[in-house]
Amino acid sequence: MGTPPAREEHDGKDRFTEKVEEKESRKLRARRKGKHEVWFGLGMFGLIGWAVAIPTILGIVIGIWIDSRWPGRFSWTLMFLVFGVIIGCLNAWFWVSREREEIEKEQRDEEET
């Protein structure tokens, strides 16, 4: 008909203990990482910015050079600008997905221990 009250109380204490242990381990991990996370985040923003900016600037420079040598009906500068932005966005996506995978792997490893 159900578990005896003593058994239910014991299960409740076990769940409570597990939740407290999980919260404690999260807090300890956060203390260990500390300010590293803030600098890591700022560094990642910088990395993504440069990952987009450099291909874009290179595209503009190449486009200007082509336009100055062989002027034509279409603007090579504009075409290479768009091409540089696309390459830069793909580059940034690569870095973000790679970092996400590393963070997820780290979390899985911590959960296993």
Side-chain angles (χ1 to χ4, degrees), residues 44-81:
M44 186 55 109
F45 278 129
L47 177 68
I48 292 169
W50 284 111
V52 175
I54 290 178
T56 302
I57 291 170
L58 285 174
I60 292 170
V61 168
I62 292 170
I64 290 172
W65 181 77
I66 291 174
D67 279 339
S68 69
R69 299 278 184 201
W70 302 284
R73 184 173 170 208
F74 300 108
S75 171
W76 288 100
T77 304
L78 186 57
M79 286 190 271
F80 275 95
L81 167 70

Side-chain angles (χ1 to χ4, degrees), residues 73-111:
R73 184 173 170 208
F74 300 108
S75 171
W76 288 100
T77 304
L78 186 57
M79 286 190 271
F80 275 95
L81 167 70
V82 171
F83 183 68
V85 168
I86 290 170
I87 295 296
C89 288
L90 290 173
N91 194 14
W93 176 74
F94 167 76
W95 283 105
V96 169
S97 64
R98 188 171 131 191
E99 286 298 322
R100 187 192 74 227
E101 288 172 5
E102 286 182 23
I103 289 169
E104 288 174 355
K105 181 182 179 221
E106 184 178 297
Q107 287 175 347
R108 281 193 305 269
D109 291 346
E110 287 177 0
E111 288 174 359

Side-chain angles (χ1 to χ4, degrees), residues 19-29:
K19 288 190 178 209
V20 169
E21 287 175 353
E22 287 176 22
K23 286 185 179 183
E24 179 185 15
S25 67
R26 266 189 264 140
K27 285 183 180 181
L28 290 174
R29 270 195 311 259

